[in-house]
Amino acid sequence: MPKKAEQPASFETSLQQLEQIVSRLESGELPLEEALNEFERGVQLARNGQQTLQQAEQRVRILLSDDKDADLSAFTPENS
């Protein structure tokens, strides 16, 4: 049976997970392999967070656009 696609965590949850990963890495107590796995997960979370922030910024720019006659339409990441 195919696996169900995981829903991405919210921005806030991802940020909290990233903070925990940073704390564990800074402790210096993780074995090398575990530290590398944590680092890899942290990079993924950071990239996803950056993408989420970029999309939010684009939405704000659309809403604050000086073009008063522009039609407001739903934002989709494909349009960014």
Side-chain angles (χ1 to χ4, degrees):
M1 185 155 41
K3 287 186 177 179
K4 215 168 126 179
E6 286 185 35
Q7 290 288 17
S10 71
F11 177 78
E12 291 77 11
T13 301
S14 294
L15 186 58
Q16 186 179 37
Q17 290 173 354
L18 185 56
E19 289 172 349
Q20 291 170 355
I21 288 170
V22 169
S23 293
R24 286 193 298 268
L25 289 173
E26 287 179 339
S27 76
E29 296 178 9
L30 295 176
L32 179 59
E33 190 63 34
E34 194 174 332
L36 286 172
N37 289 336
E38 288 288 293
F39 181 77
E40 183 177 5
R41 177 71 178 134
V43 169
Q44 286 177 325
L45 288 168
R47 287 180 179 159
N48 290 342
Q50 183 65 33
Q51 183 179 15
T52 299
L53 289 174
Q54 287 173 341
Q55 291 172 358
E57 180 181 12
Q58 183 63 32
R59 290 176 69 184
V60 169
R61 286 180 189 215
I62 290 169
L63 291 170
L64 297 178
S65 172
D66 287 336
D67 188 358
K68 304 292 184 208
D69 296 327
D71 291 331
L72 290 179
S73 58
F75 174 80
T76 56
E78 299 84 40
N79 293 339
S80 60

